[in-house]
Amino acid sequence: MTRQPSFFIPHGGGPCFFMPDPQGNWTSMAEFLRGLPARLPEPPKAILVVSGHWETEGFAFTGAEHPELLFDYYGFPQHTYDLRFDAPGSPALAERASQLLREAGFAAAPDPRRGYDHGVFIPLKVAWPEAEVPVVEMSLDRSLDPARHLAAGQALAPLRDEGVLILGSGMSFHNMRGYGNPSSTDPSLAFDQWLTQAVEAGAEVRAEALAHWAEAPGGRFSHPREEHLLPLMVVAGTAQGAGKKVYSDLVLKTAISAFRFD
């Protein structure tokens, strides 16, 4: 079985890819997401998605056979609450991932009641519209400690050799008041440049840099709260080699990027 890469992907804003977009704000991001399957060495056996929209004590994984959808966005047109993404779950993967984390000293367990939030089903509905690949969602640890999430990713790395595609779903810029504001462009670009340099370093240098991301140029402006950046820490932890930027664009006047780890 061929080793799968890991990716940090942007999941957009709410159900943005399934609404009219006359200004084309989300066009390039949607194209990137649609192209994800073609970037893989072979179809994944399953997809593990670390979402910036689920926080727990310790780590948790969706453990249901058929998780429901959590429409955790507000104020959008009614049709966006009728979306379907019927990907099967994988209780076996949820238990395997929990076991790997427990063996590394983390608290971790499947949650048979949790459904897929929009950080999972929105980007995956673009990338895998047939919803045929089993999906498990992983939470963030409520500590929001970057080093802890890097270590969790390291513990989960064996899954890549078992045919599992690991995705971190968040946004490389996530300041809700900053979107669409021309004054956000420069600090978001400064942080994006720093983040790219950190990602494209070797594992030890990368881990040290990412653990101190808040001290980076534009860091706290780009992430007043870090939950949308932490999925990157998990996927970065799954790799030893340098990461690579595979998508970047100015979206709503802010720099947004995606990264791949082989």
Side-chain angles (χ1 to χ4, degrees):
M1 187 173 294
T2 304
R3 174 180 292 180
Q4 289 287 348
S6 299
F7 287 87
F8 175 68
I9 62 170
H11 61 60
C16 59
F17 307 116
F18 302 97
M19 295 171 54
D21 183 19
Q23 296 183 340
N25 290 318
W26 306 104
T27 300
S28 68
M29 193 180 295
E31 289 175 353
F32 166 72
L33 292 172
R34 277 193 294 271
L36 268 178
R39 293 176 178 265
L40 305 181
E42 62 186 29
K45 179 181 177 182
I47 304 173
L48 177 65
V49 187
V50 188
S51 173
H53 286 275
W54 185 19
E55 298 172 25
T56 56
E57 294 293 336
F59 294 99
F61 299 86
T62 53
E65 291 275 3
H66 299 283
E68 298 180 351
L69 301 189
L70 300 177
F71 292 95
D72 55 338
Y73 43 73
Y74 307 97
F76 290 94
Q78 179 56 44
H79 79 270
T80 65
Y81 299 92
D82 298 326
L83 295 172
R84 298 287 300 273
F85 183 72
D86 298 324
S90 176
L93 174 57
E95 180 53 43
R96 168 74 171 137
S98 298
Q99 179 186 15
L100 287 171
L101 289 185
R102 288 195 297 265
E103 289 174 353
F106 296 102
D111 182 342
R113 295 173 297 278
R114 171 77 183 191
Y116 302 138
D117 61 52
H118 81 274
V120 174
F121 75 82
I122 290 296
L124 292 196
K125 186 173 175 65
V126 178
W128 282 273
E130 299 302 319
E132 74 279 14
V133 182
V135 174
V136 169
E137 178 176 350
M138 174 182 171
S139 71
L140 301 175
D141 181 89
R142 194 161 282 146
S143 69
L144 303 183
D145 176 25
R148 187 171 182 81
H149 289 79
L150 283 155
Q154 188 173 10
L156 293 170
L159 296 176
R160 295 177 51 200
D161 291 313
E162 299 169 16
V164 178
L165 172 65
I166 302 176
L167 301 178
S169 175
M171 294 285 276
S172 61
F173 178 94
H174 194 256
N175 181 336
M176 299 301 289
R177 295 184 177 183
Y179 288 127
N181 188 334
S183 66
S184 299
T185 302
D186 285 347
S188 75
L189 283 169
F191 182 65
D192 188 78
Q193 181 180 21
W194 177 91
L195 191 63
T196 301
Q197 291 175 344
V199 163
E200 294 184 346
E204 290 187 11
V205 174
R206 177 172 66 236
E208 178 67 18
L210 292 178
H212 298 91
W213 69 270
E215 301 165 22
R220 269 300 173 194
F221 177 82
S222 298
H223 292 277
R225 191 172 186 274
E226 51 265 53
E227 80 286 344
H228 274 68
L229 186 63
L230 285 175
L232 170 62
M233 311 304 178
V234 178
V235 296
T238 69
Q240 289 299 309
K244 181 182 179 181
K245 181 186 283 188
V246 290
Y247 163 81
S248 193
D249 196 11
L250 280 179
V251 180
L252 300 176
K253 305 187 188 306
T254 66
I256 305 292
S257 293
F259 302 98
R260 173 181 177 138
F261 300 86
D262 286 306

